[in-house]
Amino acid sequence: MKNIFLIFTILILLASCKENISKKSIRVNDILELNSAITKATPGDNIILSNGIWKDAAINFYALGTKEKPITITAETPGKVFLEGNSFLHLGGEYLSVSGLYFRNGHSPNSSIIRFMISEDTVANNCKISNTVIKNFNKPNRYNNDRWIELYGKNNSFDHNYISGKSNDGETLRVFFTGNQHINNHHQITNNYFGPRPRKGGPRGETIRIGDSKTRFSPGYVNVSDNYFDACNGEVEIISDKTNFNSFKNNIFYKSEGSLVLRHSSYATVNGNIFIGGDESEFYGGIRVVNAGHLITNNYFYKIKGKEFRSPLAIMNGIPMTPLNRYLQVSDIVVAFNTWIDCTSPWQIGIGQNIESASVLPISEIRSAPPIRSILANNIIYNTEVDNTPFINHSEIDGILFKNNIIDNNGSAYSEYDVLQNADLNMEKINDWLYAPIDSKEGMINQVYNGFDFEKIDKDVFGAMRNNKNSIGAINSISKAKNFIIDKKTYGPNWFSVEETDYESKIIKATSAKGELADKIKQAHSGDIIELTDVLYQIKKPLIINKNITLRSKNATTKSQLTFTGKNDSVAFQMNPYGTITLEGIKINGATNKIAFSPLQENMSAAYNLNLQNCELNNFGFILKAYKGSFANTITLKNSTFKNCINGIVLAADEKGDYNAEMIQVEYCEFENIEKNVVNFYRGGYDESTIGGHLSIFNSSFNNCGQYEKTKILLNTKGIINVYLSDNTFKNNAIDYVALLWGEKNNHHKNNILINSGKIKVEEQQKLKILY
């Protein structure tokens, strides 16, 4: 008996040793040790990366784990393993897991940073990336294309990661469908924090793209749920869905200038998402619908102000016999139990209808097919201020059944098209963005339309059951709504804070002593104010602007004067990536062979900003000279004068629909004796994926300009979508046209005075290169 017990004990010990051996941890200190550990890894192994900076770490993680015993790579301390320089992580094999890494201060030398594939023959399946950060890991030139995350294979997971700051060409995350081994993939993209993606100034700036036009018939079953999208402003499509049977549930879209777009997909489920906008931007978007069979339910929209393609609900027209990469007619969709609060024209049907443009577009571009066989039912529109156009019909609506949709338009009855029923709703404001109907046993809000399969819509936006007592709108229980909070800590890595530390600006004094101003700029913290204490400053070398800096005269009455005496063709203010310069009350003098402001000619990986207030600029070859690949998010000129320059504001671009500045605002300014290129804001070719450039010129004067302008156009805005010219004076400008405006787009002029300056011409249709 003792022998049997001894044998049994030995067997247990051997099994335990075997398990411990199979679940060993291997600590590695450099890439050579890591590669060796990966080569030797067996199921259950945990490879630990030592804390510190891993420079130029090219990680190809190929191994074969099992469901019960995955092979893992983890940081010694999550967030303390920094991958910098030319680093990347590519996975291939089965049941692999990586967590705790931080990509910063560099860029991938390949097409991606994280890729679930090493080669076409080495694909990752059942693998996971989590608790990882990628921040500002951009290509040096923003025109160079990459995707930060590429998903291939099947059953892979990307969860609890923080992704922020992609400014170069290409989607942030893309799911690929390049063969049978990649379709029906059931990937999980959950609980991530997709932090700010700046405006890109052209197409190919989605945060998530699933498939492409060639995979529009492929089944995906991708799950994009419980993510936070914060200021994802890359282009009009935050999410571009281009395969079928995908789910988008319980995501938060916070002040993002784009939409969740069902671009080439069919049979998507869009449920329980919250879209939070505000009054500060007219580009916040909602849901745009193309194709067939979508179920759009329980979504909540607050102050979504976008128009047309960015409308809170944009249901598009399609193209008859559409090419693969264009727009299929909308059919068989259900939009039910949603709520729109203080949104601008929240329902827009037939978006993209462009029959009027038939003379300048090929037949394959004419979107003339309205939605068919679709239902909009049990929805609420609630406004605290009257909206005169809560519903806009761009085409035909006969193919849509409207049932039991309620509008409370702040006491103003709305009856056009007979699609909404007026009601006086009792709504409680729960927080800054959340309004919920107070529970009631009677009233129009309880008159729910029961359509086919509507019983399957069994929960509201906050998870409250609908079975026993159902009501119209996204919220079925005010108690559930009152208990709901957005906790940013539940998104992204548990070790990383998304909250930026507030910085209190300091005022730094700078005299005119040789080199002192440049030194003060170099030493300043982003956000600081440098005050010029003297009257005259000689600047012999370019001032490098790579942070947010304000320069202002100490004496507002007597402006400090900067005279730039650098080399020929050099620039006074050299704008670097992330550079923002604000000049207040300063005179800037140069020479005709010098440039006042210019970004780098190469490696402008991120945008810059330029802001002049109450300034004077004289005698430069260029006021602003931009280069291909550079991008200004905002250029603001107010109460300033620009005189005796050869060129004005020159923004170069190429033929891919890109452009070099997003927002240009000129107010109460004077331009005098600018010989050519007074404003040259150009976009060669266009699509509808971006804001499209925005130029506003108000209450300004242009005198004796354009005498050497070859185009004979004072303000060149070819291809720019948004142009506003109002209350300006144009006098003695030697040109034929002040501007040629694109009337069919958002180009407008009013109250301008033209004296010996040609005219403003509006062309309703402009023939431009289509970028598809």
Side-chain angles (χ1 to χ4, degrees), residues 538-542 563-573 588-598 617-625 627 644-648:
Q538 294 286 331
I539 309 298
K540 295 183 178 180
K541 293 182 180 180
T563 299
F564 181 59
T565 59
K567 296 178 181 179
N568 290 350
D569 300 321
S570 61
V571 56
F573 293 87
I588 309 168
N589 293 326
T592 56
N593 55 11
K594 297 172 178 58
I595 304 165
F597 302 91
S598 182
L617 187 146
N618 299 283
N619 300 310
F620 277 93
F622 288 84
I623 298 172
L624 170 64
K625 184 178 183 180
Y627 297 95
N644 304 317
C645 296
I646 295 177
N647 294 275

Side-chain angles (χ1 to χ4, degrees), residues 405-474:
N405 299 295
I406 293 176
I407 182 171
D408 183 336
N409 201 20
N410 195 34
S412 175
Y414 180 81
S415 59
E416 194 170 3
Y417 300 108
D418 195 28
V419 296
L420 292 161
Q421 302 174 48
N422 292 287
D424 185 8
L425 298 176
N426 189 8
M427 300 286 276
E428 180 174 339
K429 184 176 182 180
I430 296 171
N431 58 38
D432 288 344
W433 57 268
L434 182 57
Y435 289 72
I438 295 175
D439 295 330
S440 61
K441 295 182 180 180
E442 298 179 356
M444 192 179 294
I445 198 170
N446 297 309
Q447 297 174 16
V448 174
Y449 171 74
N450 293 310
F452 178 74
D453 266 355
F454 274 32
E455 68 277 3
K456 294 181 180 179
I457 309 170
D458 57 352
K459 295 179 181 178
D460 76 353
V461 63
F462 299 125
M465 299 303 296
R466 289 187 178 274
N467 338 18
N468 298 327
K469 179 186 72 67
N470 202 1
S471 61
I472 291 172

Side-chain angles (χ1 to χ4, degrees), residues 63-289:
L64 297 173
T66 66
K67 184 176 182 180
E68 294 75 19
K69 296 180 180 180
I71 299 171
T72 62
I73 292 179
T74 59
E76 177 186 356
T77 304
K80 298 296 184 180
V81 174
F82 303 102
L83 285 88
E84 300 187 354
N86 293 327
S87 296
F88 62 86
L89 168 64
H90 294 173
L91 295 83
E94 297 279 346
Y95 293 104
L96 311 178
S97 177
V98 180
S99 68
L101 309 184
Y102 193 152
F103 288 87
R104 67 177 193 181
N105 298 334
H107 67 278
S108 171
N110 300 311
S111 66
S112 57
I113 301 168
I114 293 175
R115 184 169 70 197
F116 287 76
M117 182 177 72
I118 296 173
S119 67
E120 291 185 6
D121 298 325
T122 315
V123 175
N125 297 300
N126 304 298
C127 295
K128 178 177 182 177
I129 301 289
S130 62
N131 290 302
T132 287
V133 167
I134 306 175
K135 187 173 183 180
N136 299 337
F137 210 68
N138 289 300
K139 299 281 190 184
N141 190 322
R142 59 183 288 273
Y143 272 18
N144 291 340
N145 180 281
D146 71 350
R147 277 80 52 185
W148 280 7
I149 303 102
E150 296 181 346
L151 279 93
Y152 291 86
K154 294 181 186 289
N155 302 310
N156 293 312
S157 175
F158 188 80
D159 68 276
H160 292 91
N161 302 293
Y162 177 88
I163 312 297
S164 174
K166 191 175 195 300
S167 58
N168 66 303
D169 194 273
E171 314 89 87
T172 305
L173 182 153
R174 181 168 170 183
V175 182
F176 283 84
F177 294 76
T178 54
N180 288 339
Q181 62 183 324
H182 308 289
I183 66 172
N184 286 307
N185 55 57
H186 296 274
H187 294 319
Q188 303 295 308
I189 303 168
T190 62
N191 299 99
N192 300 291
Y193 196 106
F194 291 99
R197 172 154 193 179
R199 297 163 177 162
K200 179 185 168 294
R204 303 171 304 280
E206 304 98 327
T207 296
I208 294 178
R209 177 174 160 187
I210 303 173
D212 58 34
S213 59
K214 294 184 287 295
T215 63
R216 67 185 303 166
F217 298 114
S218 301
Y221 297 100
V222 178
N223 177 35
V224 181
S225 296
D226 299 291
N227 301 286
Y228 193 97
F229 296 88
D230 182 5
C232 291
N233 300 337
E235 60 150 270
V236 70
E237 299 184 9
I238 302 169
I239 298 177
S240 185
D241 185 15
K242 299 185 178 183
T243 57
N244 303 307
F245 306 108
N246 300 317
S247 297
F248 307 91
K249 297 180 179 180
N250 306 322
N251 300 289
I252 308 292
F253 295 87
Y254 182 77
K255 294 191 175 181
S256 293
E257 293 182 336
S259 300
L260 192 171
V261 180
L262 308 175
R263 180 64 178 85
H264 292 312
S265 69
S266 291
Y267 304 103
T269 298
V270 182
N271 181 74
N273 302 284
I274 296 172
F275 297 79
I276 301 173
D279 296 322
E280 60 280 333
S281 176
E282 60 182 19
F283 301 109
Y284 297 142
I287 297 172
R288 177 153 59 97
V289 185

Side-chain angles (χ1 to χ4, degrees), residues 545 547 575-576 578-582 607-611 631-636:
I545 309 301
K547 62 192 80 170
M575 306 305 298
N576 283 232
Y578 306 106
T580 294
I581 184 68
T582 298
Y608 65 97
N609 298 283
L610 174 61
N611 180 16
F631 184 69
N633 187 52
T634 58
I635 298 171
T636 304

Side-chain angles (χ1 to χ4, degrees), residues 21-28 32-47 60-65 71-73 96:
I21 292 171
S22 67
K23 289 188 176 182
K24 63 181 183 293
S25 294
I26 307 102
R27 178 169 173 159
V28 296
L32 293 177
E33 291 182 5
L34 174 59
N35 288 338
S36 176
I38 290 172
T39 301
K40 298 173 184 178
T42 59
D45 285 356
N46 178 29
I47 302 170
N60 287 302
F61 183 17
Y62 175 77
L64 297 173
I71 299 171
T72 62
I73 292 179
L96 311 178

Side-chain angles (χ1 to χ4, degrees), residues 171 198 215 247 296 328 337 392 507 513 619 648 654 671 687 699 710 714:
E171 314 89 87
T215 63
S247 297
I296 300 169
L328 187 68
F337 296 104
I392 298 179
I507 298 177
N619 300 310
D654 68 5
F671 295 80
D687 70 356
N699 299 102
K710 292 181 180 179
L714 193 72

Side-chain angles (χ1 to χ4, degrees), residues 529-541:
I529 299 168
I530 297 177
E531 199 166 73
L532 307 182
T533 58
D534 292 335
V535 176
L536 298 175
Y537 290 74
Q538 294 286 331
I539 309 298
K540 295 183 178 180
K541 293 182 180 180

